[in-house]
């Protein structure tokens, strides 16, 4: 492996140290759901490794196919990567996005039973924290990068708040429509019960008159 590959692998370990991970079988696909605002740049870092670190991998050329679908289940991106890499995409609509990961294997499905671990870290924003350690000695450059990151985080928080307000408005409208339907249904039930009651009273009265009991 080249020095660049070793460096990138080390960077992935640094970023994914506190990230989530889940088991992923060979030739298996699993998806996660992320709530993403509109027009948001999303960057994901992943690392695929054997579940047992001391176990010998039977698929040295194993990779990962990343597929991203928007809230309408339309494919935003689908690309094949190696064992460790990063992917980026931009959301076009607010809502639940589906991030699917499937391992690639050249072995027949009968023999593809290796248990793997996928480390994943998803960052949102124009200037997500770069896993590459900043080697510059220019303090002004560091300060500028920090300020850009803070501004982008503020924009991300603002978009998240707008998205939450949109969801609250949708839930409020659903609640109002439901309450309105419940009210109308109660009124219809009451009207039907009153109508049936008056009709029964009239029928009983006519019956008693016919039998000359009244």
């Amino acid at each position: 492996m080249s020095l660049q590959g070793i460096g990138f692998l080390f960077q992935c370990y640094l970023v994914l140290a506190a990230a989530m991970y889940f088991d992923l079988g060979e030739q298996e696909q699993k998806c996660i759901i992320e709530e993403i605002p509109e027009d948001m740049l999303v960057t994901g870092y992943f690392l695929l490794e054997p579940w047992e670190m001391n176990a010998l991998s039977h698929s040295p050329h194993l990779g990962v196919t990343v597929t991203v679908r928007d809230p309408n289940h339309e494919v935003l991106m689908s690309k094949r990567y190696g064992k460790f890499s990063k992917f980026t995409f931009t959301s076009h609509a607010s809502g639940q996005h589906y991030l699917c990961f499937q391992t690639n294997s050249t072995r027949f499905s009968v023999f593809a039973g290796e248990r793997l671990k996928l480390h994943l870290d998803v960052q949102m924003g124009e200037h997500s924290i770069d896993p590459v350690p900043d080697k510059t000695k220019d303090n002004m450059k560091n300060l500028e990068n920090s300020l850009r990151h803070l501004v982008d985080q503020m924009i991300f928080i603002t978009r998240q708040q707008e998205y939450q307000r949109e969801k609250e408005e949708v839930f409020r409208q659903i609640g109002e429509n439901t309450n309105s339907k419940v009210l109308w249904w109660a009124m219809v039930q009451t009207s039907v019960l009153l109508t049936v009651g008056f009709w029964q009273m009239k029928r009983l009265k006519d019956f008693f008159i016919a039998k000359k009991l009244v």
Side-chain angles (χ1 to χ4, degrees):
M1 183 182 293
S2 63
L3 292 176
Q4 183 179 3
I6 295 174
F8 185 78
L9 179 60
F10 178 71
Q11 295 157 15
C12 284
Y13 271 114
L14 291 177
V15 172
L16 300 170
M20 65 176 174
Y21 68 89
F22 50 89
D23 66 306
L24 190 64
E26 196 173 351
Q27 297 185 359
E28 182 184 8
Q29 184 184 54
K30 285 189 177 180
C31 300
I32 65 171
I33 299 175
E34 287 284 344
E35 293 279 354
I36 303 176
E38 185 179 3
D39 294 329
M40 178 62 62
L41 176 65
V42 181
T43 304
Y45 301 88
F46 66 86
L47 171 64
L48 184 67
E49 61 183 6
W51 187 264
E52 299 292 340
M53 293 300 298
N54 55 355
L56 179 63
S57 177
H58 300 286
S59 302
H61 303 292
L62 200 63
V64 178
T65 298
V66 181
T67 304
V68 179
R69 293 183 174 85
D70 64 8
N72 297 322
H73 296 279
E74 296 182 358
V75 177
L76 292 179
M77 65 156 289
S78 181
K79 189 175 180 181
R80 181 174 180 176
Y81 299 91
K83 289 186 177 182
F84 49 90
S85 186
K86 76 172 183 177
F87 61 91
T88 58
F89 68 91
T90 301
S91 60
H92 301 301
S94 300
Q96 293 182 342
H97 287 67
Y98 304 86
L99 282 62
C100 300
F101 304 87
Q102 183 177 16
T103 56
N104 305 317
S105 177
T106 57
R107 297 198 297 170
F108 292 107
S109 58
V110 177
F111 304 101
E114 185 174 357
R115 191 183 181 195
L116 304 166
K117 180 189 295 185
L118 182 70
H119 298 266
L120 177 65
D121 180 55
V122 179
Q123 300 179 7
M124 301 184 191
E126 293 291 339
H127 296 278
S128 300
I129 299 177
D130 196 345
V132 180
D134 193 3
K135 298 179 180 179
T136 180
K137 297 181 180 180
D138 188 354
N139 292 330
M140 293 299 296
K141 188 67 175 179
N142 291 339
L143 181 59
E144 181 182 356
N145 291 336
S146 299
L147 289 175
R148 285 181 178 178
H149 178 67
L150 288 175
V151 170
D152 291 329
Q153 288 298 314
M154 292 175 61
I155 295 175
F156 169 68
I157 293 173
T158 302
R159 289 181 177 176
Q160 283 281 20
Q161 291 176 340
E162 292 176 353
Y163 175 58
Q164 293 299 328
R165 282 196 291 268
E166 291 177 1
K167 291 183 64 177
E168 290 177 0
E169 179 65 21
V170 171
F171 289 145
R172 186 183 65 82
Q173 291 179 356
I174 293 176
E176 290 180 354
N177 292 336
T178 302
N179 292 335
S180 177
K181 291 179 180 179
V182 170
L183 178 61
W184 279 106
W185 178 244
M187 294 177 62
V188 169
Q189 283 185 319
T190 303
S191 301
V192 170
L193 290 175
L194 291 175
T195 302
V196 172
F198 284 126
W199 180 79
Q200 287 180 338
M201 291 177 61
K202 184 177 184 303
R203 292 288 296 177
L204 285 173
K205 183 178 180 181
D206 293 341
F207 174 76
F208 290 148
I209 292 176
K211 296 296 183 179
K212 298 181 180 180
L213 297 176
V214 178

